[in-house]
Each structure stands twice: as structure tokens, then as C-alpha cells.
Amino acid sequence: MKGVWDGLDKERISRAVLTAFSSDEYLELLAAINNADTVAEVEAARAQLKDVMALWRQECPEYAFMVDCLYLFSEKMDLYLAGKGA
């Protein structure tokens, strides 16, 4: 049976997680999305997130997938707050 982590570069992922969780900007956006009470609040955070995505793709492209994950999280929060389920 194949596990979820099989075939993934665990070292790269752990460095990316550490980089993201060491970034005040990343954590602030995570908190804004996670604590949003309205779709508008999520959309405002997502607008800021797009700027961060561009910066990470330029400055640390090997870890930019962490910002992509945050963007996917914002999309799911948007659906949840809109009452469409996640």
C-alpha cells in the first residue's frame, strides 16, 4: 500500500513549511483567511496573497507551492463562508 508521502521530496517540503511559517506575511495572511467571517474578508486577503505569490515565485520558486496551498485554502474558505460547502 502506497502512503501519502511516498515519492514526495520530504526535505524540500519541510524547508518550504519552515520558510512559510517563519514568514510574518504568510502567517498574517493565513490568520486573515482562517479568521474571516465573510466572503469579502477572504477576497481581500486573497488580493494581498496574489502579491505574495508573485514575490515568492521570484524570490524562492522552489517553495512557492506553499503560497499556492494558501490560495487553495482561501478558495475553500470562500465556498464555506458562502454556504456552498467546502
Side-chain angles (χ1 to χ4, degrees):
M1 186 170 148
K2 190 170 182 175
V4 173
W5 289 99
D6 291 348
L8 295 178
D9 184 347
K10 294 176 195 119
E11 183 63 30
R12 176 177 171 236
I13 292 169
S14 65
R15 286 191 309 264
V17 170
L18 180 62
T19 300
F21 288 177
S22 298
S23 166
D24 290 338
E25 192 170 41
Y26 184 94
L27 292 176
E28 288 169 7
L29 285 168
L30 173 60
I33 295 164
N34 192 53
N35 297 326
D37 292 320
T38 66
V39 170
E41 290 174 338
V42 174
E43 290 173 351
R46 190 178 304 124
Q48 293 177 341
L49 185 55
K50 288 180 181 179
D51 292 335
V52 174
M53 289 172 89
L55 178 65
W56 278 48
R57 284 196 177 103
Q58 181 180 12
E59 298 295 322
C60 52
E62 65 277 11
Y63 304 150
F65 69 90
M66 287 297 296
V67 181
D68 294 339
C69 290
L70 189 54
Y71 190 88
L72 292 172
F73 175 60
S74 76
E75 290 180 327
K76 292 298 183 182
M77 281 298 290
D78 200 338
L79 291 174
Y80 173 76
L81 291 171
K84 298 177 183 173

